[in-house]
Amino acid sequence: MSTGGNRWVLPVGSTGRDGWETVIDDTPHDWQHTGLRIAVLRDGEELSVDAGPWEYVVVPLAGALRVRATGPDGDVGVAELAGRASVFAGPSDVAFVPAGSRITLTATSGRVRVAVCAARVPSLPSTRTFRHVTTDEIPVELRGAGIASREVRNFGVPAVLDADAIIACEVITPAGNWSSYPPHKHDEERPGVETELEEIYYFETQVEGAAAGGAVPPGADPVGYQRVYGTEERPIDVFAEVRTGDVVLVPHGWHGPAMAAPGYDLYYLNVMAGPGPTRAWLICDDPSHGWVRDTWADQPTDVRLPLGGTH
């Protein structure tokens, strides 16, 4: 991964500890509102997350697992997540765990890759409840058109999931397409216009069509790219080459495009939360590029979507 020494770009394994491949919490970069943990487990292996002021969405990236959550009153929620073969194979069921709960994850298939998305909840105890969100409850949206076509799986957005703070979804961008486009931002509280949200991008890549049994050329190196840039008042400058397991943090500023290089499909998991009173994803486009949305009406959606087949 090419980082250029940028502190907002976290290569795979660079933040790992305590059995986790990736740990993002409130310790690096004055990060405050969102978190992410990634782990690889073998059948029967377990990892735990201690109780605290964080709510979680557990997302199987590959394989199946059991989620057991013990709340502050001793109540227990259990979800057997069926998962999927890979993030490119289609949506997965997920588990929502309210703040104040201890989580234990147990792999129930041969090899499991799992993401634990997190958001800080400012006041406890939480009134939310543990929930197993099944695959058929997850809306799949085809967003954009032409080479800006992408697939969005909205398992953790306000219209689908009742939570205190977290907003989460995953996006599939077919090889050669642009996503997170036009560039947009959500770093100010402007009622009805924009919400202030930190954001985490977690990436995976594959040779185009590999999850559906396509050939993988010897020596192929699946790669994508992510751009983040700031305003004059709050500068930030990220142009990152990303592969499976890499993370880009977006504390503020315009972000996009996320680019899938020709020959390589791109996946990213988004985790968002912020300090504002309203749990909503309200964005504004970079005015230099927002006009691109008006061109989509005359373009077809990429026929490769949804990548995991009809849902």
Side-chain angles (χ1 to χ4, degrees):
M1 181 184 191
S2 176
T3 70
N6 197 302
R7 69 190 188 114
W8 305 113
V9 181
L10 307 175
V12 59
S14 62
T15 63
R17 65 174 188 263
D18 303 326
W20 299 91
E21 177 182 276
T22 295
V23 178
I24 298 166
D25 51 22
D26 56 359
T27 54
H29 313 304
D30 298 321
W31 206 244
Q32 300 179 62
H33 305 291
T34 56
L36 180 68
R37 291 171 181 256
I38 305 292
V40 176
L41 301 173
R42 302 291 177 180
D43 192 7
E45 287 186 339
E46 291 187 348
L47 268 178
S48 294
V49 182
D50 289 337
W54 299 83
E55 64 184 2
Y56 301 97
V57 179
V58 180
V59 182
L61 302 170
L65 70 149
R66 180 181 306 112
V67 180
R68 179 183 174 90
T70 305
D73 297 327
D75 51 317
V76 175
V78 177
E80 298 285 347
L81 300 184
R84 53 194 163 179
S86 83
V87 296
F88 297 101
S92 172
D93 52 345
V94 304
F96 170 72
V97 181
S101 302
R102 175 180 171 82
I103 307 175
T104 300
L105 307 177
T106 306
T108 57
S109 62
R111 182 181 186 275
V112 176
R113 187 171 181 86
V114 59
V116 180
C117 312
R120 181 182 290 279
V121 173
S123 60
L124 293 176
S126 172
T127 60
R128 313 302 175 183
T129 58
F130 181 88
R131 180 180 170 195
H132 181 183
V133 183
T134 61
T135 306
D136 59 6
E137 295 177 287
I138 298 172
V140 176
E141 172 190 0
L142 300 187
R143 188 177 296 171
I147 62 170
S149 299
R150 60 270 201 187
E151 172 187 345
V152 185
R153 302 166 182 162
N154 288 308
F155 58 80
V157 300
V160 175
L161 182 67
D162 182 25
D164 284 302
I166 197 165
I167 300 173
C169 65
E170 56 187 14
V171 181
I172 298 290
T173 309
N177 284 12
W178 285 32
S179 192
S180 281
Y181 196 76
H184 56 279
K185 74 178 184 73
H186 40 70
D187 59 10
E188 299 178 77
E189 283 294 329
R190 296 189 293 158
V193 177
E194 185 178 355
T195 44
E196 182 182 353
L197 301 168
E198 282 181 349
E199 185 163 13
I200 298 171
Y201 276 71
Y202 162 83
F203 295 93
E204 296 200 12
T205 55
Q206 71 162 9
V207 170
E208 182 177 7
V216 177
D221 181 19
V223 64
Y225 297 89
Q226 173 71 28
R227 179 78 172 115
V228 184
Y229 58 99
T231 61
E232 185 174 337
E233 296 79 15
R234 302 177 74 189
I236 184 173
D237 188 6
V238 175
F239 183 57
E241 184 179 277
V242 295
R243 294 174 175 81
T244 294
D246 293 337
V247 170
V248 173
L249 303 180
V250 183
H252 56 82
W254 310 106
H255 43 288
M259 294 166 277
Y264 303 121
D265 298 320
L266 179 68
Y267 163 95
Y268 53 87
L269 172 65
N270 286 144
V271 186
M272 293 172 276
T278 303
R279 177 178 171 247
W281 182 66
L282 299 179
I283 67 169
C284 65
D285 289 337
D286 182 335
S288 296
H289 305 297
W291 65 269
V292 172
R293 290 189 189 274
D294 296 334
T295 69
W296 292 346
D298 299 323
Q299 298 180 53
T301 302
D302 193 314
V303 297
R304 293 174 292 179
L305 295 175
L307 207 66
T310 302
H311 175 62

